[in-house]
Amino acid sequence: MQTKRTVFGNRLLPYAFLFPQLAVTVIFFLWPAGQAVIQSFQREDAFGLSTTWVGLANYADLLHDPTYLNSLKVTAIFAPAVTLLSVGLGLVFAVCLDRLVRGSRIYAALLVWPYAVAPAVAGIMWWFLFNPSIGLLPYLLAAVGYRWDHSLQPTDAMILVVIAASWKQVSYNFLFFMAGLQAIPKSMIEAAAIDGAGPVKRFFTIVFPLLSPTTFFLAVINLVYAMFDTFPVIHATTGGNPAQSTNILVYKVFVDGFIGLNLGSSAAQSVVLMAIVVTLTVIQFKWVERKVNY
Amino acid sequence: MSAIEITGVSKVYAGGVRAVSDVSLSIAEGEFIVLVGPSGCGKSTLLRMLAGLETITSGTVSIGSRVVNEIDPAARNIAMVFQNYALYPHMSVYDNLAYGLRNRGVPKADIDARVAEAARMLEIEPYLTRKPKQLSGGQRQRVAMGRAIVRKPDAFLFDEPLSNLDAKLRVSMRGEIRQLQRRLGVTSVYVTHDQLEAMTLADRIVVLNGGRIEQVGRPLDVYHNPASTFVASFIGSPAMNLAEAEVMGGSVAIGGQVVANGISGVKDGKLIVGLRAEDIQPAAPGTGVPFAVRYIEELGALRLVHGSVEGRHLTMALSPDLPLADEMKVAVAADRLHFFEDDSGRRMTR
Ligand SMILES: Nc1ncnc2c1ncn2[C@@H]1O[C@H](COP(=O)(O)OP(=O)(O)OP(=O)(O)O)[C@@H](O)[C@H]1O
Ligand SMILES: [Mg+2]
């Protein structure tokens, strides 16, 4: 195969071009990650004066820490819920738009906006919308007889953070589904229509299976997002409360490390979190490879 | 099997494009109709209106005895073969064939039997468990045909089903489609822009031009009696020679050069004369019209000689064993000339 090749006169020049990107990766990702791994084997005294090597003690402590186990449980609800909601809504919007106004740029642009909003701002917006005293939604819910209070009710709090965290991902997922839908040949849908399948049947037997690679990809991306990138949302809305009910793993890393100043435990938690996400991703991709081939 | 009746059908797309204008056509039960015409003439649009994939702006379409204008594609009981085959890529060949039957609630045992029968007819039995991407283009084409025939529909609709195949496969599939249609006796409407496909497949050819029917007729009738210069130049390969000519007292002159005498039934005046390439032949010694040879195309069984008479480009088809020269004398078969009106291009009645 003929590939385009650039020949550099100086052997060091290519490395010079690569340097900025590598430097950013090393300084802001690899180095802190390495630090975290090292710190997870250490314990600092309360004043940060001395550091001792404690081996796996930080990890062992986590297993016996009820708040950590609770956090695991909360994350096990939160992350799949966010993934399901954001991927589901992204799909619904994409299908609606595809049916109603195939290719309408304006609607598509509107649906993409939320992605440009900073997570913390989105969090505050939802916090206002759901604010028990001044928010619009509790007011409407009160009309149907539901007393909304996410500062006291764990379930309400979970619903709030799930919605706030999903909101902007919907845009992202919507875009991918739009592209996926556009890649399905129109004649295939028409063939199914002639074959006697109504719109609902067509969706479930043709469209959705053909979108499955997109769906699986988005499931991975959104799960990783929910586990890693939702810190600002939690911080701006519930701060992990009430009663630890929304204290997801990534938020607990922050709370224990920067507020509790327990750097060793916080580092161990972040390493575990990383391991969980990597494992989930690998499993998902293995599964995808087996399931999604046509 | 059903007759199809198209009455005054027009299609105007949302953008204002008038794709089909006032088309009327009666298709008999079991007939094989080929819609042919240049790109953009509205063939697919007309076919898709029969299928129910496009709304009908005005006019009516009936399949069997029922008007289907407002009936969903699913309920029209037609089957369609698409140019890109439109197979379901995530289903096996078996499931592709069975899909339409399952949707209609056909019992499992019947489905098995009908899929097996179609697969046997099309010789795709070995591939039933494969996915479409594991098939060659020709095999995919067969699966697409199979999906149409298992349904036992009232009509087959084909939209350029062979245009993605290589030339050789196209010819053999053409033959198979013809035989299959004869055997099953299902009313068929077939769209193509390939006049050869039209000639070989059709019971009747419908030539479309700019959304209107230019001519309907049996292949040889259309070939021998084209209704207009458009049909004349579209049907037949090489295309019929068309030249401006003048008729005066029974003689036909191209550029002042008399090429034929003893013509009756044609008014004196300017017109367009049409002659098939095989109707121009070398003249007997000492007679004929000067023909300046420009270039030659060898087709094996035939030799196309392109040249000019009085500066008007003409093509003749000669047997390859006839001698050639740069300047030849040719004669045209006077009784085989076609005459078209100078302004409208319509065939002149003699
Ligand atoms: N969905 C559409 N919206 C607007 N105009 C359309 C649409 N589909 C087709 N047309 C126009 O209608 C006319 C007829 O199109 P059609 O597809 O029927 O042509 P065709 O004869 O099948 O051509 P081809 O041989 O290239 O397939 C064309 O001018 C085309 O641009
Ligand atoms: Mg077409």
Side-chain angles (χ1 to χ4, degrees):
Chain A
M1 204 171 66
Q2 198 78 16
T3 47
K4 228 182 215 171
R5 227 171 226 218
T6 312
V7 179
F8 290 102
N10 189 327
R11 282 194 37 187
L12 292 179
L13 194 58
Y15 297 98
F17 283 138
L18 282 175
F19 180 74
Q21 179 63 53
L22 288 176
V24 167
T25 309
V26 169
I27 295 172
F28 291 104
F29 182 72
L30 292 180
W31 186 69
Q35 285 292 306
V37 173
I38 293 169
Q39 280 181 359
S40 71
F41 296 117
Q42 297 173 339
R43 192 163 287 167
E44 254 180 11
D45 68 46
F47 305 102
L49 295 176
S50 66
T51 316
T52 46
W53 191 262
V54 295
L56 290 172
N58 285 328
Y59 293 94
D61 287 352
L62 285 182
L63 290 179
H64 303 295
D65 178 356
T67 60
Y68 185 74
L69 296 178
N70 169 65
S71 194
L72 261 180
K73 206 181 74 199
V74 168
T75 308
I77 295 166
F78 173 79
V82 168
T83 305
L84 214 64
L85 186 66
S86 60
V87 173
L89 282 181
L91 180 59
V92 167
F93 283 136
V95 168
C96 289
L97 204 63
D98 198 57
R99 272 183 67 84
L100 295 178
V101 271
R102 198 163 176 121
S104 162
R105 294 257 159 259
I106 303 161
Y107 284 93
L110 285 178
L111 277 164
V112 168
W113 270 2
Y115 198 62
V117 175
V121 175
I124 290 173
M125 183 192 82
W126 286 105
W127 180 84
F128 268 117
L129 274 175
F130 275 110
N131 189 296
S133 44
I134 59 171
L136 177 65
L137 293 171
Y139 177 75
L140 294 177
L141 284 173
V144 296
Y146 187 83
R147 239 184 64 73
W148 175 272
D149 191 350
H150 62 252
S151 59
L152 293 175
Q153 289 297 325
T155 315
D156 291 357
M158 182 55 99
I159 291 172
L160 170 63
V161 291
V162 167
I163 290 176
S166 303
W167 181 66
K168 75 160 207 164
Q169 284 305 99
V170 172
S171 300
Y172 182 90
N173 300 337
F174 161 78
L175 276 184
F176 273 83
F177 279 127
M178 272 303 267
L181 284 174
Q182 241 126 61
I184 298 177
K186 201 165 144 245
S187 59
M188 207 175 299
I189 307 298
E190 292 173 344
I194 290 175
D195 262 342
V200 176
K201 186 142 205 180
R202 285 203 294 274
F203 178 78
F204 285 106
T205 55
I206 309 285
V207 176
F208 191 68
L210 291 182
L211 284 177
S212 59
T214 311
T215 312
F216 279 118
F217 165 77
L218 289 176
V220 175
I221 295 289
N222 283 274
L223 204 60
V224 172
Y225 158 82
M227 296 189 86
F228 272 140
D229 293 346
T230 44
F231 160 77
V233 176
I234 306 281
H235 198 54
T237 50
T238 62
N241 290 313
Q244 303 278 325
S245 62
T246 56
N247 197 359
I248 59 171
L249 289 171
V250 70
Y251 196 68
K252 189 166 159 55
V253 169
F254 160 78
V255 172
D256 289 0
F258 291 86
I259 298 174
L261 288 180
N262 189 349
L263 288 184
S265 173
S266 164
Q269 289 177 34
S270 69
V271 171
V272 172
L273 179 57
M274 171 79 97
I276 292 174
V277 171
V278 169
T279 314
L280 279 180
T281 311
V282 169
I283 291 173
Q284 259 173 322
F285 271 107
K286 283 273 174 243
W287 195 55
V288 169
E289 250 171 27
R290 234 171 354 98
K291 283 288 279 195
V292 189
N293 67 328
Y294 56 75
Chain B
M1 273 148 282
S2 293
I4 300 175
E5 192 71 38
I6 303 168
T7 318
V9 163
S10 299
K11 173 71 188 185
V12 181
Y13 279 110
V17 181
R18 194 169 186 80
V20 171
S21 293
D22 193 24
V23 165
S24 294
L25 183 67
S26 295
I27 303 173
E29 218 173 286
E31 196 175 18
F32 199 129
I33 289 284
V34 176
L35 303 178
V36 68
S39 186
C41 70
K43 310 180 290 289
S44 297
T45 304
L46 183 55
L47 191 76
R48 291 167 58 80
M49 285 193 286
L50 298 185
L53 299 173
E54 298 289 351
T55 56
I56 298 167
T57 310
S58 63
T60 58
V61 170
S62 330
I63 300 176
S65 53
R66 113 193 128 127
V67 175
V68 294
N69 284 39
E70 303 300 328
I71 293 178
D72 273 349
R76 291 190 187 194
N77 198 26
I78 44 95
M80 185 155 168
V81 179
F82 293 83
Q83 178 173 354
N84 64 1
Y85 314 143
L87 300 178
Y88 313 123
H90 56 297
M91 296 184 197
S92 67
V93 169
Y94 180 95
D95 289 336
N96 265 279
L97 298 194
Y99 186 71
L101 299 175
R102 287 189 187 133
N103 288 337
R104 288 180 165 75
V106 176
K108 177 100 180 56
D110 279 8
I111 294 180
D112 270 344
R114 278 159 79 164
V115 170
E117 188 194 351
R120 188 176 44 75
M121 241 189 265
L122 291 160
E123 293 162 24
I124 50 172
E125 286 153 311
Y127 319 123
L128 282 177
T129 55
R130 293 203 202 166
K131 297 270 171 72
K133 76 162 182 200
Q134 299 164 314
L135 300 175
S136 71
Q139 290 160 349
R140 280 178 214 184
Q141 219 291 322
R142 283 162 189 278
V143 176
M145 293 284 303
R147 193 167 63 181
I149 67 178
V150 283
R151 292 253 322 278
K152 304 198 170 150
D154 286 339
F156 288 142
L157 307 177
F158 301 89
D159 194 352
E160 311 208 18
L162 302 183
S163 52
N164 285 355
L165 300 179
D166 65 57
K168 202 169 159 222
L169 206 52
R170 196 146 63 215
V171 174
S172 68
M173 277 311 291
R174 198 166 75 198
E176 284 190 40
I177 290 181
R178 189 68 186 107
Q179 288 173 27
L180 206 63
Q181 194 271 345
R182 279 272 153 79
R183 179 137 50 106
L184 301 171
V186 175
T187 314
S188 301
V189 182
Y190 186 108
V191 162
T192 180
H193 58 255
D194 179 349
Q195 57 89 22
L196 192 60
E197 243 171 57
M199 292 287 288
T200 50
L201 282 172
D203 289 328
R204 279 193 301 157
I205 291 182
V206 176
V207 184
L208 287 174
N209 180 21
R212 293 177 184 283
I213 292 189
E214 195 82 17
Q215 185 171 9
V216 183
R218 293 204 309 256
L220 284 181
D221 288 347
V222 174
Y223 184 81
H224 290 303
N225 295 302
S228 63
T229 50
F230 176 84
V231 178
S233 60
F234 196 80
I235 300 288
S237 175
M240 181 187 281
N241 293 295
L242 294 170
E244 285 178 7
E246 203 149 1
V247 172
M248 193 67 83
S251 0
V252 183
I254 295 177
Q257 168 75 52
V258 173
V259 296
N261 286 305
I263 306 293
S264 59
V266 180
K267 292 202 307 280
D268 287 2
K270 277 168 70 99
L271 47 61
I272 294 170
V273 65
L275 20 120
R276 292 278 176 207
E278 60 267 29
D279 295 336
I280 312 176
Q281 292 294 323
T287 64
V289 178
F291 182 93
V293 175
R294 286 188 190 152
Y295 65 98
I296 292 168
E297 283 178 294
E298 298 286 0
L299 301 184
L302 268 186
R303 172 181 283 159
L304 297 185
V305 182
H306 299 269
S308 59
V309 167
E310 293 298 320
R312 308 299 197 286
H313 183 262
L314 293 178
T315 303
M316 55 181 176
L318 301 183
S319 158
D321 34 72
L322 287 175
L324 286 174
D326 285 352
E327 277 290 334
M328 301 177 70
K329 292 286 189 116
V330 298
V332 303
D335 55 331
R336 309 284 283 269
L337 292 179
H338 304 263
F339 297 101
F340 303 97
E341 283 169 10
D342 186 36
D343 45 357
S344 68
R346 307 301 307 174
R347 184 182 193 82
M348 292 167 79
T349 44
R350 294 227 242 163

